[in-house]
Structure formats: structure tokens, C-alpha cells
Amino acid sequence: MTGIWRVVLFFYSLLLVAVSVSALILAIGRTEILDSISIAASSSETRLIIAGIALLLLVLSIITLFYSIGSNSAPKTKTVLVNNGIAGQVSMTIPAVKVIVMKAVKTVEGIKDIKTTVNNKPEGVEVLLHTMINPEYNIPEMSERIQTVVRQQLEDIGGLKVAGVRVLIDDFGSAAKAPGN
Amino acid sequence: MDGKKPEINTELGAIRIADEVVATVAGLAASEVEGVATLSGGWGTDLVEKLGKKNFGKGIRVEVIGEETKIDIYAVIDYGYQIPKVAEEIQNEVKQAVENMTGLKVMAVNVHIVSVILKKSEPEEIASADVKTEY
């Protein structure tokens, strides 16, 4: 977003604040604002000024609407740098990293549910896994397996440097059939 | 895609190539690389394509810096392929295709992996490891 658009957006937001505050004041029963508007609308000169401002705001609203919907340019999300060679850069979005993590975790038996957070740090990507596991499984063993497989997949498939894989057991999921029963 | 059109100066005059043409050449070259599922042009472009208008230049951004061209490619990769290798192949193929077909000097081909999806040929292999379907 360029500097001029930041200014436009600032004034647009400021106007929304003013409208919201006015609506709140009206809602608590103070009608002075309505009186002021009536007085302003009684003169043809002020009506013209109001019409001009309204037109300007309408144009700004439409432009802001189109800007928020997005242009043809490709999506901009947080990225992780994979490689910076002579031919150019190779980067990967955080959602793409999450897909690799999820596929890796799904190969580990005993996991009921998982939520992934990926942070990009100078020393590599840091993965935080909030997991819900089957209570029949050994937590340290399972955690180690998750860490190993996630690190391996990120390094092999993604070509990423992994700073760390943290596993947090949030909850235990009830097993439909317990092993050995 | 912005800025002035890529330009090749000859003795007889200048040859201007629309950046959409460069994007199409790059898009076709990138799509041919094994492991590339699709190129991502954002929801607007994808929607237009679903309505029937094929856009070979989607997911490609061409930037002209002086007489050199920089290309950004937004790709979706099939799961299972090594991303650095696929990206390197995209860079080589795109650079070669654009330089051969247009005569432009490609300064850099930046590859942005926007997503990773399952390969169409082996959905069952991955689906069998689905976390929530077991137990």
C-alpha cells in the first residue's frame, strides 16, 4: 500500500469513527446532532457542500471496496525462504509448510487431532504442534516420533532448515478401541 | 505485471513484447515441470478460469528492470516431490523458454510455493493415513 493510500485509509477510518460516535450519541437520546444536520440542510449552499463530501466518500468507499477485494496479483502471505541462488529466490508460504507438517504428522499412529503453528526465524522454521492423542500411547515416544518425522519431511520435501519442533499435548482423545482389549 | 513493456532494441527499431506474452511463455514452461500441480493466480483469476476463460499466464508476475526481466512464479506443488528440485527445474525451464522465445534477458526467476496438494494419481496412499478416520 502506497503512502497516499495510507492517508486516504486513515481519513476514511477517522470518518467511520465520527459516524459511529454520532450514532452512539443519538442512541442515548441526544438529538443535537440531528438538529445540526437539519440546520445545515436548510441552506442550498451547505447542501451542495454535503453532496460534494458524500460523493467523495462514495468514490473512496468504492475504491476501498475494490482494493480490499484484491487485484489480479498473486496472493501475498507470510513466506519462508527456501533458497536464494543465482537463478532467483525460492520461497514457500506458511500454509504450504503447514501442509507438509500435517502430512508428516498423519503418518504417526495415535494422533487424534492436531493444530500447527509455524514461525519463521533466522535460524530456520520453528514448528509448534498442539496435539490431542490417544491415551493408550506412550507420550515421550510418540512426541519423539512426531518430531523426527516432521523434521525429516520438512528437510527432505521442503528443503527447509528446521530450528525446532515443539510438541504440546493439549488433550487426550477417547479411543474407540483400546489396544490389547 | 506493471512498468513498461520488455523491449529489444535493434538497428531497425525496437521490438516490444507485452509482459502478458512473457507471462504466458513462463506459465506454459512452468506447468510442464513434473511436480507442478498448478499455478496460483489468486481467487479472482481462478474464478474467471472456472468460468471458461483459460489464462496461461496466471500465477506469473513479470517485472522489467532496465533491459532485464524478473519473473515471479506462484506455484502449487504435488505432495511427495522435493520442492527445491522442482523449484530449480522451474527456474531453468522458465529462464530457457523465455530467453529462447522472446530474446529477453531473464535476470531472476523467483519461485513462490503457495501450497502443496495431493497427487491425483495416489490419493488412497495418503488418505489411508488420515488422522481422524482411524481408531
Side-chain angles (χ1 to χ4, degrees):
Chain A
M1 189 183 281
T2 56
I4 188 82
W5 281 110
R6 281 183 191 278
V7 174
V8 168
L9 204 63
F10 172 76
F11 282 109
Y12 190 68
S13 306
L14 208 64
L15 188 88
L16 280 177
V17 171
V19 170
S20 309
V21 170
S22 305
L24 283 171
I25 292 169
L26 273 173
I28 59 169
R30 302 285 298 269
T31 55
E32 289 90 343
I33 293 169
L34 283 179
D35 298 336
S36 306
I37 293 168
S38 304
I39 293 163
S42 60
S43 151
S44 58
E45 281 179 6
T46 47
R47 277 208 302 270
L48 268 174
I49 294 166
I50 291 169
I53 294 168
L55 201 68
L56 184 73
L57 285 174
L58 183 69
V59 171
L60 278 179
S61 305
I62 291 166
I63 292 169
T64 314
L65 186 71
F66 275 102
Y67 199 89
S68 64
I69 287 170
S71 61
N72 283 334
S73 62
K76 286 177 183 172
T77 48
K78 282 185 180 178
T79 57
V80 180
L81 188 68
V82 178
N83 182 18
N84 192 3
I86 305 163
Q89 280 187 349
V90 179
S91 62
M92 202 188 304
T93 60
I94 296 290
V97 177
K98 283 184 180 179
V99 172
I100 297 173
V101 172
M102 293 300 281
K103 299 293 177 203
V105 171
K106 282 177 180 181
T107 61
V108 179
E109 208 180 331
I111 297 168
K112 298 289 286 182
D113 196 12
I114 193 148
K115 278 178 192 166
T116 314
T117 309
V118 178
N119 294 315
N120 188 16
K121 293 190 167 181
E123 59 269 26
V125 289
E126 189 187 59
V127 182
L128 175 62
L129 299 163
H130 290 264
T131 56
M132 183 197 282
I133 65 160
N134 190 322
E136 277 74 25
Y137 288 85
N138 183 290
I139 293 173
E141 275 180 19
M142 183 185 282
S143 304
E144 203 180 321
R145 272 208 304 276
I146 294 170
Q147 287 172 324
T148 309
V149 78
V150 167
R151 180 180 286 271
Q152 198 178 6
Q153 292 275 293
L154 285 176
E155 286 175 352
D156 292 351
I157 292 178
L160 297 166
K161 199 176 168 189
V162 182
V165 180
R166 288 162 61 200
V167 179
L168 178 67
I169 311 295
D170 273 339
D171 201 358
F172 291 104
S174 56
K177 53 171 185 178
N181 286 352
Chain B
M1 284 175 268
D2 49 1
K4 65 170 187 176
K5 303 266 183 289
E7 193 174 292
I8 302 159
N9 291 307
T10 65
E11 287 176 2
L12 297 171
I15 300 168
R16 290 190 188 88
I17 299 168
D19 40 13
E20 285 82 1
V21 173
V22 180
T24 302
V25 172
L28 285 168
S31 305
E32 292 292 312
V33 175
E34 197 183 345
V36 175
T38 183
L39 299 177
S40 173
W43 67 269
T45 314
D46 291 345
L47 183 71
V48 170
E49 198 172 68
K50 275 178 186 166
L51 292 171
K53 191 173 180 256
K54 190 77 181 164
N55 182 1
F56 292 108
K58 75 164 183 173
I60 309 282
R61 196 168 63 188
V62 179
E63 196 181 338
V64 180
I65 303 159
E67 289 182 357
E68 293 178 326
T69 308
K70 196 178 94 176
I71 300 167
D72 284 275
I73 298 175
Y74 296 83
V76 179
I77 303 291
D78 283 322
Y79 180 75
Y81 286 92
Q82 287 191 334
I83 287 170
K85 280 188 181 176
V86 175
E88 195 185 331
E89 205 172 333
I90 292 172
Q91 288 175 324
N92 293 336
E93 291 291 326
V94 168
K95 186 180 165 69
Q96 202 178 351
V98 172
E99 287 185 347
N100 286 348
M101 287 191 71
T102 64
L104 293 166
K105 174 80 182 159
V106 178
M107 190 175 67
V109 179
N110 298 326
V111 181
H112 310 271
I113 311 299
V114 293
S115 189
V116 178
I117 59 164
L118 288 176
K119 269 192 287 186
K120 282 176 186 173
S121 55
E122 39 181 83
E124 287 173 11
E125 189 185 319
I126 303 296
S128 64
D130 194 1
V131 173
K132 288 184 177 177
T133 54
E134 285 191 315
Y135 314 110

